[in-house]
Amino acid sequence: MDVRWLVRVGEWRPEEAEWDAAMARVEAHEQARIKKFNRGRGVVGRLNPDAKASLVGRLMIAALVEVGRKGRAIQPDVDLAAHVRRTPERKPYIAAEKLLAPGLNFNVSHSGECVACAASAAGIIGCDVMKVELVPDTGRPLTHAAVTEFFELMLDSFTKNEWRFVNGEARDFLGSPYERLEKFYMLWTLKESYIKAIGVGLGIDLASVSFAPSGWGGDDQFTAALTLLPSKGKPATGDPAAWAFRGRRLPGGYIVATALGPFAEAAGGFKPALAPPQDPPSAARVQRAGLPYAAVPVEDLLCDEARLGLPVASV
């Protein structure tokens, strides 16, 4: 069972009753978490973009459970509140004892108006979606100087080879300011997708996870080779060749990357929670990593009949 869903939350403008009905579909502790979003401006609930994205992400998990029941990948008596749990590193997972497709795991990511959900039983999966923009977005012109200033905040996150990929050689920038920024987010989404897949969160040294993207293809997709480097006196562990990575451009200036790797490389609290089966051949992960993301309207997540008809990828 493989799932790749993408929701544009900016297209969802719920009235109060619809918002309340959507909130009622998620667990009480998740409702409390979502209600805390206010962006420091007192903007809460359905008017807060972060709250909307967080709620939609949880609705996607609920829909995944329903689709998994229908497809006999998850036991019919699974309970969202009791069996969708979090590791100590806050990675959500479905309790292994409720899985009929051993190793089925998922990841949700959101940025701006996009929320992505990826799930697979072919390996540990991570996804990351990001809007190509300066952070924080102050409305300043997108110049080489502004991009360089933004990059200075991230210097320790990338290797020298990665910065060379982003900027070109020395003072000779390759491409426009936007192209430099886009290359940065290619690398950032790759790193985040890998970290989310293994389940360690941001406790990892980002510069110890190095990528060499292949560049954009004619279909707005890219692949990448992974190199794992020693960090803080500890040797690199893992098998980079066993991983598959695929990224793609999305309309509206977004990039999404997907990582799919061997079950054996799950880390932290995710490893014992996963109870993984034997790893399939690497070729299966290469094929599944490139599955496209299907656009899903929020309304389909809220309708019982439509939810059961959400797309499940076939390989």
Side-chain angles (χ1 to χ4, degrees):
M1 175 178 168
D2 277 86
V3 158
R4 305 289 186 276
W5 295 335
L6 186 77
V7 173
R8 298 274 182 171
V9 293
E11 298 172 359
W12 184 44
R13 300 176 179 84
E15 297 296 333
E16 198 69 39
E18 185 181 5
W19 175 261
D20 291 343
M23 285 283 281
R25 286 181 173 269
V26 304
E27 312 93 303
H29 67 276
E30 292 294 335
Q31 293 182 34
R33 182 180 62 84
I34 292 166
K35 289 176 181 178
K36 292 179 181 178
F37 287 104
N38 62 30
R39 286 203 169 186
R41 300 193 299 267
V43 179
V44 297
R46 63 188 178 87
L47 302 178
N48 184 288
D50 295 326
K52 282 173 62 177
S54 184
L55 173 57
V56 167
R58 204 65 191 180
L59 292 172
M60 293 171 93
I61 295 172
L64 174 65
V65 169
E66 289 296 319
V67 170
R69 283 174 174 157
K70 177 187 175 185
R72 299 183 181 180
I74 300 173
Q75 292 186 12
D77 64 343
V78 67
D79 179 76
L80 192 65
H83 300 125
V84 177
R85 304 166 182 169
R86 289 184 184 269
T87 68
E89 297 83 9
R90 305 298 296 161
K91 179 177 175 65
Y93 68 96
I94 301 168
E97 67 268 20
K98 292 300 176 182
L99 295 179
L100 297 174
L104 178 65
N105 66 113
F106 67 92
N107 187 217
V108 174
S109 172
H110 68 83
S111 172
E113 295 191 347
C114 281
V115 186
C117 176
S120 184
I124 51 176
I125 194 164
C127 68
D128 191 60
V129 62
M130 291 294 296
K131 184 171 176 59
V132 180
E133 63 181 354
L134 295 174
V135 180
D137 182 9
T138 60
R140 54 187 163 167
L142 187 60
T143 63
H144 278 304
V147 171
T148 299
E149 182 181 348
F150 169 57
F151 288 171
E152 287 175 353
L153 302 173
M154 308 291 183
L155 289 178
D156 293 337
S157 299
F158 287 5
T159 64
K160 289 182 179 179
N161 285 340
E162 288 175 323
W163 282 121
R164 191 173 294 114
F165 168 77
V166 171
N167 291 321
E169 296 293 337
R171 300 177 183 177
D172 181 24
F173 294 138
L174 292 179
S176 67
Y178 183 85
E179 289 170 330
R180 290 174 64 205
L181 198 59
E182 188 177 58
K183 288 180 177 180
F184 170 88
Y185 281 111
M186 288 171 70
L187 292 170
W188 186 264
T189 55
L190 286 165
K191 288 174 184 276
E192 284 281 308
S193 66
Y194 171 79
I195 290 168
K196 291 175 179 179
I198 63 175
V200 297
L202 288 176
I204 196 171
D205 176 9
L206 289 177
S208 70
V209 182
S210 181
F211 285 95
S214 62
W216 297 108
D219 54 359
D220 280 343
Q221 297 186 51
F222 63 90
T223 58
L226 168 66
T227 301
L228 298 174
L229 303 171
S231 174
K232 301 176 183 177
K234 297 181 180 180
T237 59
D239 180 9
W243 284 81
F245 299 92
R246 183 66 60 88
R248 63 182 68 234
R249 283 189 180 111
L250 300 174
Y254 289 86
I255 291 176
V256 63
T258 308
L260 194 57
F263 291 115
E265 296 194 18
F270 185 39
K271 193 175 188 70
L274 187 60
Q278 185 175 355
D279 274 303
S282 295
R285 291 191 288 275
V286 171
Q287 195 174 15
R288 285 173 167 82
L291 290 171
Y293 283 75
V296 174
V298 176
E299 290 75 14
D300 283 4
L301 300 176
L302 299 173
C303 172
D304 292 338
E305 183 177 353
R307 192 165 62 242
L308 291 176
L310 290 174
V312 177
S314 58
V315 180

